[in-house]
Amino acid sequence: MGYAAVVIGVSAGGIEALKVLLPALPASFPLPIAIVQHRDRRSDGFLAHYLNTMTKIAVSEAEDKEPFCASHAYLAPAGYHLLIEPDRSLSLNVDERVNYSCPSIDVLFESAANVFAQSLIGVVLTGANADGAQGLKAIKARGGLAVVQDPQTAAAMTMPRAALNATPVDHVVPLERIAPLLTQISTPNGAYDTAS
């Protein structure tokens, strides 16, 4: 199974989680990554800049109509839903909140599932609401791979637990093992030993 993209959803406790996950990815990480981190709509672009200083892959805020490129992580800007278009470009909109959130994890996950189907990896991390659960279910329904942070390692357990309750998942792993998992399964003929 070859994978083409990764989508990540994170909320409460997310900045600390991203500071663990993203710097652990190698510069050669072969897939593009789209991330929704719930933030106050007045937040500026500091988070992407801050993460970019500590990672080997590029990190930036997504821009409307921007190509979705490998070895790059794109964060949804505060106050904008982030979607993947059929031509695999990024798009932003200011539609109504979903799960009380804009950006919404479900919006990103569902749009990406429609584009990438079985070649998509969805990841749900720490968070204090249920956003992302239905989106991860959509990814699984399209044949994609579902990864959830072990709730016991999450700063806020509600979001990973909601995802686990919504759909069967492929991997439930501690935060520090998610980057090695993504690296191994995104490599052709890669495998991941869940016992390691």
Side-chain angles (χ1 to χ4, degrees), residues 42-183:
R42 295 164 295 184
S43 298
D44 59 17
F46 174 77
L47 177 60
H49 174 76
Y50 176 62
L51 292 170
N52 193 56
T53 65
M54 62 181 69
T55 57
K56 302 176 188 74
I57 64 170
V59 181
S60 64
E61 280 205 345
E63 297 183 7
D64 195 43
K65 310 307 181 191
E66 182 177 14
F68 191 33
C69 297
S71 304
H72 198 126
Y74 302 87
L75 271 70
Y80 291 87
H81 292 303
L82 173 60
L83 300 91
I84 311 296
E85 295 294 330
D87 66 358
R88 300 190 175 189
S89 66
L90 304 175
S91 70
L92 304 174
N93 73 42
V94 290
D95 287 350
E96 293 297 313
R97 291 174 178 240
V98 176
N99 294 315
Y100 309 101
S101 303
C102 183
S104 165
I105 299 165
D106 281 342
V107 168
L108 170 63
F109 281 19
E110 290 168 7
S111 71
N114 288 336
V115 173
F116 291 104
Q118 71 273 14
S119 62
L120 182 65
I121 302 169
V123 182
V124 172
L125 303 178
T126 179
N129 69 11
D131 195 17
Q134 292 306 308
L136 198 66
K137 183 176 181 179
I139 290 171
K140 283 297 295 178
R142 296 285 186 137
L145 189 83
V147 179
V148 175
Q149 179 180 356
D150 182 343
Q152 298 302 318
T153 72
M157 294 189 282
T158 304
M159 203 158 82
R161 281 180 170 168
L164 292 173
N165 289 334
T167 188
V169 305
D170 300 285
H171 300 280
V172 181
V173 291
L175 176 62
E176 67 274 8
R177 286 171 52 190
I178 293 176
L181 168 62
L182 294 176
T183 300

Side-chain angles (χ1 to χ4, degrees), residues 31-50:
L31 306 181
I33 302 169
I35 302 169
V36 165
Q37 157 74 64
H38 291 160
R39 291 183 283 163
D40 186 283
R41 67 184 306 111
R42 295 164 295 184
S43 298
D44 59 17
F46 174 77
L47 177 60
H49 174 76
Y50 176 62

